[in-house]
Amino acid sequence: MSAVLARLQPLGRALMLPIAVLPVAGLLLRLGQPDLLDLTFIAAAGNAIFGHLGLLFGIGVAIGLARENHGAAGLAGAVAYLVATEGAKALLAVPPGLGAGLGSDVRAALTSAWRDGQIARLSVPAGIVSGLIAGQLYNRYADIRMPDYLAFFGGRRFVPIAAGLAGLGVALVFGMGFPLLSAGVDMLSRRAVEAGPAGLFAYGALNRLLIVTGLHHILNNIAWFILGDFGGATGDLKRFFAGDPAAGAFMSGFFPVMMFGLPAACLAMYRAAHASQRRAVGGMLLSLGATSFLTGVTEPIEFSFMFLAPALYALHAILTGLSMALMDALGVRLGFGFSAGLFDYLLSFGLATRPLMLLPVGAAYALVYYAAFSWCIRRFDLKTPGRDPADDVSATIDADSDADMALPVAARFAAALGGPGNLSAIDACTTRLRLRVADQALVDEAALRRLGARGVFRPGGDALQVVIGPTADRLAGEIRQIAAETAPAEMPDAPLDARTVPVPLPAGLRSAIDAHALAAWLRPLTTADITARDTRLVLECAGPVDDLLARPEAMAELHRLGIRGATMAGGSLHLIVGPGAGDLAARLAPMIRG
């Protein structure tokens, strides 16, 4: 099961990149409507994004899956999508009566329009499949070497070529299998409609329960971009903005929860906090509540109690499902381009059905959430923010050294994650860092929470997720840059022992090396002279120090002393200090001997 989750989670993350363009599409489409600015070119610009979502998914998913999110994978995704869709169109069996009795030019135009319309129904699935193929091809072949006479087509240039060839296979599947695929989508749409309130309840509850794995994005994409058909627009979200009065059932129920319920939960946590800590946690909870109310981004709130009180989170999932069914029963149809926040509510107001019903339903949900959270927190003494003395924000801030507080936030996050050398993969989705770490034991959860992380989740193996909030993607980029800048540029010439322990130090954490403190730390380890080799100090050790280097506290002390890295090689201890190693060795030698 964990292996399946590990394979699906990158897809959930990758799907967020193309979805991120939907707010501007919805904004342009609405502003251009006659009831607002009545500017057709703005409406057409917004509709162009909705009309090419398949291509955007092909590009976005490929980039999201590729190592380093490289743009070459996006080009490969576009190539695979275009080859797949255009090839599939040519394979479609045209109804024999289409254009009968009309001129050849008219018949050709009708045939082309029919083929375009049919493939458009499956454009998003085709884009996702194309992106998956292109991303995997990039990860496998981006470094491929070709013979000298074909060297120009090697490396990353090979990936779009391979993606184009793979797109032919997708074209065969979508073209020749179109009747079966189309019937499957139609059946799925009918089943969703026939399921009625029970189906909407299940969707809403599962949407919240799957957040912990990140797989809710896959569920959302089926509902928002595939189910139903209205004039060629497929999916609840696309149909809503295309003017389908029946669309919005898979979006409306989120508004009472995100705009009213979870902000009320934040108020309940604030009121339940100890008086001495209310001021410290008040700003944080206000920020979380406002983010949910305005934008519909809820994960930072949800992770603050998801693991602390699973039963309370289960209640939250049930209430979300009930909200979906309730809003449908009341005939409310609301939509969004990004999420169920105030901004999207106001933007889609003119297209909505009975939008004012959100106010009484939202008020009721605010009361339910506030009462439920207040009772559960006090009844079961849940350690929500501000209720655990160990989490006293003022105390943790005082505990941080002045030097640490002066460091960039990304550098402090990198240190809390075990240092850049502990991070083998650094990615992010909407609100969380998605990481792969070499050693889970080096991750300091308490330090991450002091830095503002709202939750830490370990899906299994080397995977690690840290809930940050809307700034997660920017933070991931900064940590990635630190890791790139501090990758060990040089390692010892001698073969490394099996227990080599590299300890790279982020640029933001480097400090001037205190020779006296370093000499005191090294004196018990060696009685021989210390020498320098390029950017390293080399010591002959009096005994084995592998066990010492394997201890996190020893590595932390080396970090504090300003050492960039440490490793054992050929029985010698190598300390990476950077330029000036020779001068430092000359200063340390008499101190160690003395």
Side-chain angles (χ1 to χ4, degrees):
M1 184 63 180
S2 60
V4 174
L5 290 177
R7 288 183 174 275
L8 289 177
Q9 283 169 348
L11 173 60
R13 179 193 71 241
L15 289 171
M16 288 309 301
L17 184 58
I19 289 175
V21 307
L22 294 181
V24 69
L27 179 65
L28 293 174
L29 186 61
R30 281 295 296 132
L31 289 178
Q33 298 303 312
D35 59 325
L36 292 178
L37 300 182
D38 194 17
L39 296 173
T40 55
F41 81 96
I42 294 181
N47 193 53
I49 298 176
F50 283 114
H52 294 85
L53 274 182
L55 177 61
L56 295 178
F57 271 92
I59 296 171
V61 170
I63 293 175
L65 290 176
R67 295 194 310 267
E68 304 170 359
N69 302 131
H70 202 280
L75 175 61
V79 170
Y81 173 80
L82 293 173
V83 170
T85 53
E86 294 301 318
K89 290 177 187 177
L91 293 172
L92 292 181
V94 179
L98 185 66
L102 300 176
S104 59
D105 292 341
V106 176
R107 187 165 59 253
L110 286 175
T111 300
S112 177
W114 180 84
R115 285 174 167 162
D116 289 343
Q118 296 302 303
I119 291 298
R121 300 179 60 202
L122 299 177
S123 62
V124 171
I128 293 174
V129 171
S130 300
L132 284 170
I133 292 172
Q136 294 299 326
L137 288 173
Y138 179 88
N139 291 337
R140 184 165 184 176
Y141 295 114
D143 300 319
I144 191 173
R145 293 179 177 273
M146 304 291 283
D148 289 346
Y149 59 90
L150 294 175
F152 177 81
F153 300 103
R156 296 189 181 103
R157 294 190 184 98
F158 176 78
V159 180
I161 299 173
L165 295 175
L168 291 174
V170 180
L172 286 172
V173 173
F174 275 75
M176 302 185 70
F178 180 81
L180 183 62
L181 295 173
S182 179
V185 172
D186 289 342
M187 182 185 69
L188 188 62
S189 301
R190 288 195 302 271
R191 293 287 177 85
V193 172
E194 292 169 358
L200 291 171
F201 171 83
Y203 167 73
L206 282 174
N207 180 279
R208 295 297 91 185
L209 293 174
L210 288 174
I211 278 183
V212 66
T213 64
L215 301 183
H216 60 300
H217 298 310
I218 298 175
L219 182 67
N220 290 340
N221 273 262
I222 295 173
W224 296 346
F225 302 111
I226 297 178
L227 295 183
D229 189 346
F230 179 77
T234 59
D236 204 45
L237 190 151
K238 293 171 65 178
R239 289 188 293 112
F240 179 85
F241 282 100
D244 185 356
F250 290 92
M251 296 181 284
S252 305
F254 290 122
F255 282 90
V257 175
M258 296 179 178
M259 286 182 61
F260 296 91
L262 287 174
C266 288
L267 177 60
M269 288 188 276
Y270 170 76
R271 294 292 303 275
H274 297 314
S276 61
Q277 297 186 39
R278 281 184 183 174
R279 182 176 180 182
V281 302
M284 177 195 70
L285 291 172
L286 176 62
S287 175
L288 297 180
T291 299
S292 179
F293 177 74
L294 295 173
T295 69
V297 175
T298 62
E299 287 189 5
I301 300 175
E302 290 163 328
F303 270 82
S304 68
F305 66 91
M306 179 184 294
F307 301 109
L308 181 67
L312 192 58
Y313 191 81
L315 175 63
H316 165 55
I318 292 171
L319 289 173
T320 303
L322 289 175
S323 179
M324 302 293 294
L326 176 62
M327 295 292 273
D328 180 66
L330 293 174
V332 180
R333 291 291 184 268
L334 302 172
F336 49 73
F338 177 65
S339 191
L342 178 65
F343 295 148
D344 273 292
Y345 174 71
L346 296 177
L347 182 64
S348 64
F349 192 92
L351 294 174
T353 302
R354 306 190 72 189
L356 293 179
M357 282 299 297
L358 172 64
L359 301 182
V361 174
Y365 257 69
L367 291 175
V368 170
Y369 268 76
Y370 180 82
F373 273 72
S374 297
W375 184 83
C376 288
I377 291 171
R378 291 181 170 85
R379 174 65 177 81
F380 300 107
D381 192 23
L382 301 179
K383 301 304 180 184
T384 49
R387 289 182 59 81
D388 189 345
D391 292 335
D392 191 323
V393 176
S394 60
T396 57
I397 290 176
D398 293 340
D400 290 328
S401 67
D402 292 339
D404 285 344
M405 293 302 293
L407 297 173
V409 172
R412 283 185 275 159
F413 266 101
L417 291 166
N422 194 41
L423 303 174
S424 57
I426 306 168
D427 288 304
C429 63
T430 309
T431 60
R432 64 181 97 174
L433 301 176
R434 292 174 179 258
L435 312 165
R436 293 195 176 278
V437 297
D439 188 350
Q440 294 276 9
L442 296 181
V443 177
D444 188 342
E445 290 195 25
L448 290 171
R449 292 182 184 278
R450 288 198 298 271
L451 290 169
R454 299 311 314 142
V456 177
F457 174 56
R458 304 173 193 261
D462 60 353
L464 178 74
Q465 297 181 12
V466 183
V467 181
I468 301 297
T471 61
D473 189 65
R474 184 185 67 194
L475 179 61
E478 293 172 354
I479 296 175
R480 197 180 296 119
Q481 183 177 358
I482 288 173
E485 291 175 351
T486 59
E490 176 188 4
M491 294 302 290
D493 299 329
L496 300 182
D497 291 344
R499 298 179 65 183
T500 294
V501 184
V503 190
L505 189 67
L509 295 178
R510 293 178 191 152
S511 59
I513 295 177
D514 185 337
H516 291 280
L518 181 59
W521 195 88
L522 294 173
R523 195 174 294 121
L525 305 180
T526 182
T527 56
D529 285 342
I530 182 171
T531 59
R533 186 184 302 171
D534 297 322
T535 60
R536 289 174 276 120
L537 303 176
V538 182
L539 300 91
E540 297 296 329
C541 297
V545 296
D546 288 15
D547 290 341
L548 175 66
L549 293 182
R551 297 209 306 264
E553 60 269 22
M555 298 300 96
E557 181 65 12
L558 285 175
H559 284 179
R560 190 186 67 79
L561 293 173
I563 302 300
R564 294 180 59 182
T567 186
M568 284 298 298
S572 300
L573 174 63
H574 294 249
L575 300 178
I576 303 173
V577 297
D583 293 338
L584 181 60
R587 294 176 60 197
L588 288 171
M591 298 180 190
I592 293 176
R593 286 196 301 269

